[in-house]
Amino acid sequence: LAKHPEIKALMKPDYNLIWVVVLMVLAQLTAFYLVKDLDWKWVIFWAYVFGSCISHSMTLAIHEISHNSAFGNSKAMWNRWFGIFANLPLGLPYSISFKRYHMDHHRYLGGDGIDVDIPTNFEGWFFCTRFRKFIWIVLQPFFYAIRPLCINPKPITRLEIINLLAQLVFDVVIYYLWGLKSTFYMLAGSVLGLGLHPISGHFIAEHYMFLKGHETYSYYGPLNLLTFNVGYHNEHHDFPNIPGKSLPLVKKIAAEYYDNLPQYNSWIKVLYDFVMDDTISPYSRMKRQLKGEVKQD
């Protein structure tokens, strides 16, 4: 910032995010209607080919919203309500809890017992062969759901209860209106999109140490178009209050800080390398013992 003070001008809400999220919700509602009378094989096909992409993209829209990118820091609660709305087509309550844990990830990156992005000792011990690492990738959504309860359980908040109730009502309405196939499409799309899927490469690409001494990596490939530029991950951790839309400008303005860092151009290759490289496993993360006072959401 001392060298490039113009970056401060990028620290503002991205109001286009609001309309993109609304359109994504409408797209999924349309898909719920269209699949209700299809054969099961086509429900499964479209859940993976289309629904999974929209669902994973929506989780990254929720990531943006968790940083108050939709309405700004001055309207924090607007962002929380909007996150609950964005959560609806995923089928499972996610937004409010994700925000609480994700802020810890930014404040205490790699913090032992705090950052639930770090795999558990069991994951590192058990998923150590190529086949088991492949299964670990398939089961990623389950580990991300269960891990916080094992590593850093937090008291349930009022907003989390509201998130849960809103999601249950929405799911029941979808089942009542369009039946089991639409409900299955919704839930399957979320699970498949966060598991064995090209976009899921970002889970591993962001912080797994393929190179010793480098714990955060950026990805500059085309899938950033579907993921609100989450691939610009060094830039995001440097400036978490800059919306994803503006992160390419951060890289352009401060190119001397980013261009020479290790980077990726393919999340699919990241997934392949993770499975096939016997030196990489869920243990391949930087873990820190935190000292001093820890403040959590």
Side-chain angles (χ1 to χ4, degrees):
L1 285 176
K3 188 173 181 180
H4 299 288
E6 63 270 30
I7 287 177
K8 291 181 181 178
L10 304 177
M11 299 176 183
K12 58 185 179 181
D14 174 17
Y15 295 117
N16 289 329
L17 177 63
I18 299 168
W19 307 114
V20 171
V21 167
V22 170
L23 288 174
M24 289 170 69
V25 171
L26 292 176
Q28 278 294 68
L29 286 174
T30 303
F32 295 163
Y33 174 77
L34 292 175
V35 303
K36 66 183 179 67
D37 296 319
L38 295 180
D39 289 340
W40 275 106
K41 63 182 179 182
W42 290 111
V43 175
I44 296 170
F45 174 82
W46 288 114
Y48 187 78
V49 171
F50 182 76
S52 62
C53 295
I54 296 292
S55 292
H56 200 136
S57 184
M58 188 62 87
T59 66
L60 294 168
I62 290 172
H63 167 254
E64 287 284 290
I65 296 165
S66 76
H67 286 282
N68 295 334
S69 292
F71 295 98
N73 292 323
S74 64
K75 296 180 179 178
M77 280 305 299
W78 289 38
N79 289 282
R80 300 293 78 74
W81 295 120
F82 191 57
I84 292 173
F85 168 75
N87 195 152
L88 294 177
L90 296 179
L92 300 167
Y94 166 81
S95 177
I96 299 300
S97 296
F98 171 79
K99 187 260 190 303
R100 298 179 71 200
Y101 283 103
H102 188 64
M103 294 304 102
D104 294 339
H105 171 67
H106 275 273
R107 293 190 189 109
Y108 309 109
L109 180 63
D112 190 17
I114 301 296
D115 183 1
V116 299
D117 197 55
I118 300 288
T120 61
N121 289 330
F122 169 78
E123 291 171 74
W125 168 76
F126 185 78
F127 296 99
C128 56
T129 67
R130 293 180 180 181
F131 176 72
R132 291 179 185 179
K133 286 191 288 183
F134 175 81
I135 297 301
W136 184 77
I137 290 173
V138 173
L139 297 177
Q140 271 192 114
F142 299 101
F143 287 116
Y144 271 95
I146 296 170
R147 195 183 295 146
L149 303 178
C150 300
I151 294 179
N152 186 18
K154 298 185 178 185
I156 297 175
T157 65
R158 172 176 164 271
L159 277 178
E160 285 176 304
I161 294 173
I162 293 172
N163 192 176
L164 171 63
L165 293 177
Q167 194 63 60
L168 287 174
V169 170
F170 180 83
D171 293 354
V172 168
V173 168
I174 294 300
Y175 179 78
Y176 177 78
L177 290 177
W178 298 322
L180 181 61
K181 290 179 179 179
S182 295
T183 307
F184 174 86
Y185 168 90
M186 173 173 60
L187 297 172
S190 297
V191 173
L192 294 171
L194 297 171
L196 187 62
H197 194 281
I199 298 177
S200 291
H202 81 86
F203 289 130
I204 294 169
E206 289 166 359
H207 297 296
Y208 282 77
M209 295 180 64
F210 283 81
L211 293 175
K212 299 297 182 183
H214 294 275
E215 64 174 307
T216 302
Y217 302 77
S218 288
Y219 156 83
Y220 299 122
L223 289 177
N224 277 307
L225 295 173
L226 297 177
T227 57
F228 301 90
N229 287 328
V230 76
Y232 288 75
H233 217 67
N234 277 300
E235 295 85 346
H236 172 60
H237 273 269
D238 285 346
F239 302 101
N241 54 344
I242 294 181
K245 181 187 75 171
S246 299
L247 291 178
L249 286 175
V250 172
K251 181 179 184 295
K252 182 178 180 180
I253 292 170
E256 69 271 27
Y257 291 99
Y258 299 110
D259 285 353
N260 295 322
L261 294 177
Q263 56 192 251
Y264 299 116
N265 291 305
S266 171
W267 278 335
I268 295 176
K269 188 175 187 303
V270 169
L271 291 172
Y272 176 84
D273 289 346
F274 178 81
V275 171
M276 301 304 293
D277 188 337
D278 294 333
T279 67
I280 302 296
S281 76
Y283 270 143
S284 302
R285 291 288 298 266
M286 178 68 75
K287 183 183 286 189
R288 296 178 173 84
Q289 298 298 322
L290 298 176
K291 299 179 181 179
E293 185 179 4
V294 174
K295 297 181 180 180
Q296 302 183 65
D297 280 1

